[in-house]
Amino acid sequence: MIPRIHQQGSNTLGLLHYLYGRGTHEEHVDPHLVASFDDMAPDPGRDPSATKKDLQHILDQPLSLLAADQRPDKHVWHCSVRTAPDDPVLSDAQWGDIARRMVAATGIDPGDGAGCRWAAVRHADDHIHIIATLVREDGRRPDHHRSGKRAQNECRLIEKELGLHQIAPGDGTAAPRPTSAERHKAQRQGRKRPAREELRETVRRAVAGATGEEEFFDRLASAGLLIRRRIAPSGDLLGFKVALPGDRNRGGDPIFYPGSKLAPDLSLPRIRERWTVPADDATSVDRSRPEQPTLPDVSGPAFARRRATAATWQTLLIIDHGDDATAAAQIAAAGEVLDALAQTSAAHTREELRQAAFIFERASRSHVKALRGQDRALRQAAHDLAHSGPALGRGEDGATTAMLIDMAFFLAIATANWHSARHHSQQAMAARQAANHLHAAYTAAAPQPMNVLRQRGHRLTPRVRQRQADLLHQVLPELAERVEAEAGWPALAATLDDVQRAGHNPAALLADSVRRRELGTATSISDVLVWRLRRSAHLIALAESPSDTAARDNRRTPPATATRSTTSTVRDSSRRP
């Protein structure tokens, strides 16, 4: 059950016309009162002799107790309460009781006999609207401070008592929800989401891996957003607003949203925190960066994905063993990696990755203060992904994408566990939902590279296959039979053979891959071990065929956010250890 305290207004009659009207899309059916301050208010919906003007007069009567210059400019209080789509349809009597509890909990009518006048209108099965005049019967103003939080707490009690869908309690760090007017406007214009949500996603993508203000605003402009900067008299930049070109008000002017109204961490000061290097760490070795071994000579998207996989693996260890402030920074930066991955991956994985990034955004914020500056490895990974250009869905591009998604899945699970341990219920739920989308993306990305590796495994000689099976039983005696029964076992056998040919100890690397991270949430243990082994042994994820190589070499230059010089720098540096 979701309560929403709407912006205070000054036109009681205007709101009543909306509540008793047909609605924007004829969605208001049988509007009528279910409760009121004295249960005797006139009902224009069911009483033919009553008018909206009559109800407005009754509700606003306490205003006459005050002199004209003492009456509040904004005297109309408006609250809507909505049930979940899978909740049962409540009766008018039940909705009436809910309305009485809401006005009592929020301080509008606390039950002292002199509260505000109010009325609850129902015009749909799943919600009611409560309208009240913010002057009490004794002429005083009501104590409705933090009415939104108080309404949320009361709804959590009502959900349990009525057996409704229980919503995890919030902590004030969530992004503002689109208003009903914004949702209806998006429907009228044929957009999938309200402008506020589209802008939030676009701004987050522009932030992902950005190294400073110039790059950030260049990305916003390249995405086609209208930008309005707030400049101090000194010339310093204080803030910004963005708008979609097609989202305009009745006067034809663009509707701008400040970054802070899109999400708490998208105000300019909060964005600048990502570019801050702690004073005591500015000249020291960056301990948050993973070890950078000599990687295969692969440039572009595949190399960026290998680097991001290594950074993600390091992040898992930090979340498990680091302090809260450092872990919170890593989780926030992980959202940037998902944003960058979603906008550069092939079409068959893009939508699931986009959903994962969109949902994980809720998991990236909590009341734990993030220690920025310790997350530079992940932010650099996001930068490299954004600047490396679009990845193909096959060959080394596709294989490294599957490798990174596999690692990101475990990162989402680790994030959910971290939040759960700290009772961040909404963040934990969001991380788990993101993990589901990452699993779906992996299911789309993995078949092609895994099929190639499986074919190589089938071509191994019986003697080599038996050697790998013996190794598996030696290192994983309790899981060996399950792994051998999986479709991915031949791919794991081929990878173990590659590890040995590269001069590594396959038994040691296999044991390390199992010991350092759980396998209980893995749908295919062999798949997980394939990617962990290929990452830790610094093996090419998948050898490219000649056609894949030619396609990659002929691919267009990376997106408009990356300049030629930047791309060259990334590719040149990628060849260094």
Side-chain angles (χ1 to χ4, degrees):
M1 178 173 286
I2 299 176
R4 181 177 179 83
I5 309 298
H6 300 264
Q7 187 174 5
Q8 292 174 202
S10 57
N11 189 348
T12 304
L13 186 59
L15 180 55
L16 290 174
H17 276 300
Y18 167 75
L19 298 180
Y20 280 95
R22 295 180 178 180
T24 309
H25 299 287
E26 306 290 330
E27 71 272 19
H28 296 180
V29 179
D30 186 26
H32 58 280
L33 286 185
V34 293
S36 64
F37 66 100
D38 61 358
D39 287 329
M40 296 180 63
D43 183 5
R46 294 284 178 86
D47 183 356
S49 65
T51 67
K52 303 179 190 68
K53 185 70 174 177
D54 295 334
L55 181 55
Q56 177 261 327
H57 177 74
I58 291 294
L59 292 175
D60 285 349
Q61 202 168 44
L63 290 172
S64 63
L65 298 175
L66 303 176
D69 60 348
Q70 294 180 338
R71 297 173 186 174
D73 293 333
K74 304 284 188 179
H75 67 271
V76 180
W77 185 83
H78 177 202
C79 172
S80 59
V81 186
R82 185 181 301 270
T83 54
D86 55 347
D87 281 336
V89 176
L90 303 180
S91 66
D92 280 356
Q94 288 174 310
W95 275 119
D97 288 340
I98 291 171
R100 295 182 189 92
R101 293 180 63 167
M102 296 303 292
V103 294
T106 56
I108 295 300
D109 188 1
D112 58 1
C116 298
R117 295 191 175 190
W118 60 272
V121 179
R122 180 182 188 181
H123 55 209
D125 286 341
D126 63 348
H127 70 280
I128 60 171
H129 292 262
I130 306 172
I131 179 175
T133 299
L134 292 175
V135 176
R136 289 165 46 92
E137 297 282 4
D138 55 11
R140 294 187 292 119
R141 300 295 301 276
D143 177 14
H144 63 107
H145 178 63
R146 294 177 60 84
S147 58
K149 183 66 175 179
R150 291 151 72 176
Q152 290 280 357
N153 293 339
E154 190 65 23
C155 280
R156 302 295 80 81
L157 298 175
I158 295 172
E159 289 165 356
K160 292 180 181 179
E161 294 174 16
L162 298 184
L164 304 177
H165 177 80
Q166 295 186 26
I167 297 175
D171 61 2
T173 62
R177 297 175 181 271
T179 65
S180 58
E182 290 171 354
R183 291 193 300 270
H184 291 153
K185 183 177 183 180
Q187 293 173 0
R188 291 196 307 272
Q189 296 179 344
R191 296 201 308 266
K192 292 182 179 180
R193 290 182 297 176
R196 185 190 299 270
E197 291 188 348
E198 288 189 29
L199 289 169
R200 183 167 76 245
E201 181 180 47
T202 304
V203 174
R204 286 187 64 84
R205 286 185 173 188
V207 171
T211 55
E213 290 179 11
E214 182 177 358
E215 182 179 0
F216 169 61
F217 284 110
D218 283 347
R219 290 185 181 185
L220 291 180
S222 296
L225 299 189
L226 304 178
I227 307 168
R228 181 177 292 171
R229 293 173 172 85
R230 184 161 62 91
I231 308 295
S234 62
D236 294 333
L237 179 63
L238 300 178
F240 71 98
K241 298 179 179 180
V242 289
L244 294 175
D247 185 34
R248 298 178 178 270
N249 58 25
R250 292 181 179 179
D253 297 321
I255 300 176
F256 283 89
Y257 293 81
S260 60
K261 297 299 182 182
L262 299 176
D265 57 347
L266 292 183
S267 67
L268 186 59
R270 293 291 302 278
I271 290 174
R272 282 170 170 162
E273 291 177 3
R274 307 173 192 234
W275 305 320
T276 300
V277 178
D280 60 351
D281 195 42
T283 59
S284 64
V285 176
D286 183 0
R287 293 177 295 274
S288 73
R289 286 188 68 87
E291 179 186 356
Q292 299 297 339
T294 301
L295 296 175
D297 186 16
V298 177
S299 60
F303 183 84
R305 279 155 173 71
R306 291 190 65 90
R307 276 287 179 87
T309 301
T312 303
W313 176 259
Q314 185 75 3
T315 295
L316 286 168
L317 303 180
I318 294 173
I319 291 176
D320 285 345
H321 306 296
D323 59 82
D324 279 3
T326 303
Q330 298 291 329
I331 291 171
E336 297 188 44
V337 171
L338 291 179
D339 282 322
L341 181 62
Q343 61 184 315
T344 58
S345 289
H348 66 296
T349 58
R350 191 176 303 139
E351 184 56 32
E352 290 293 350
L353 290 173
R354 181 179 179 182
Q355 289 297 322
F358 186 78
I359 294 171
F360 191 84
E361 179 261 350
R362 181 65 189 96
S364 66
R365 288 187 309 274
S366 70
H367 282 303
V368 177
K369 177 67 174 177
L371 181 60
R372 290 295 191 175
Q374 301 299 318
D375 55 355
R376 292 198 296 281
L378 272 185
R379 295 208 71 249
Q380 182 63 45
H383 178 275
D384 291 347
L385 287 170
H387 283 263
S388 64
L392 298 173
R394 59 186 183 276
E396 186 70 6
D397 281 8
T400 50
T401 296
M403 180 188 293
L404 177 53
I405 295 174
D406 176 75
M407 195 65 70
F409 169 82
F410 285 98
L411 176 56
I413 295 297
T415 298
N417 294 338
W418 187 86
H419 281 303
S420 292
R422 288 151 186 80
H423 308 291
H424 304 161
S425 54
Q426 287 191 349
Q427 289 89 337
M429 182 184 301
R432 293 190 187 97
Q433 291 174 346
N436 291 337
H437 286 284
L438 288 168
H439 183 269
Y442 177 81
T443 302
Q448 192 272 337
M450 291 303 296
N451 184 52
V452 173
L453 290 172
R454 281 196 297 268
Q455 290 176 3
R456 290 178 53 198
H458 286 306
R459 290 196 297 268
L460 294 175
T461 66
R463 182 177 178 179
V464 172
R465 285 201 301 268
Q466 185 59 50
R467 184 168 67 241
Q468 308 310 342
D470 292 343
L471 175 64
L472 181 69
H473 281 269
Q474 173 191 335
V475 178
L476 293 176
E478 70 285 357
L479 294 174
E481 290 187 4
R482 173 183 168 183
V483 172
E484 284 187 290
E486 293 179 344
W489 160 239
L492 178 56
T495 296
L496 288 168
D497 186 57
D498 289 343
V499 169
Q500 187 171 15
R501 289 174 180 274
H504 299 284
N505 183 335
L509 283 184
L510 182 60
D512 184 66
S513 296
V514 173
R515 181 175 62 252
R516 295 182 67 180
R517 176 58 46 181
E518 56 86 23
L519 292 168
T521 54
T523 303
S524 171
I525 294 176
S526 51
D527 278 26
V528 174
L529 292 177
V530 163
W531 300 127
R532 291 184 186 176
L533 285 168
R534 302 195 79 83
R535 183 203 63 80
S536 57
H538 319 310
L539 299 173
I540 288 286
L542 189 69
E544 292 181 325
S545 67
S547 61
D548 290 334
T549 303
R552 176 169 58 82
D553 290 343
N554 292 328
R555 183 170 37 222
R556 290 192 304 175
T557 303
T561 55
T563 64
R564 181 181 301 273
S565 59
T566 304
T567 305
S568 300
T569 301
V570 171
R571 292 189 173 178
D572 289 342
S573 63
S574 71
R575 300 179 184 272
R576 293 195 294 269

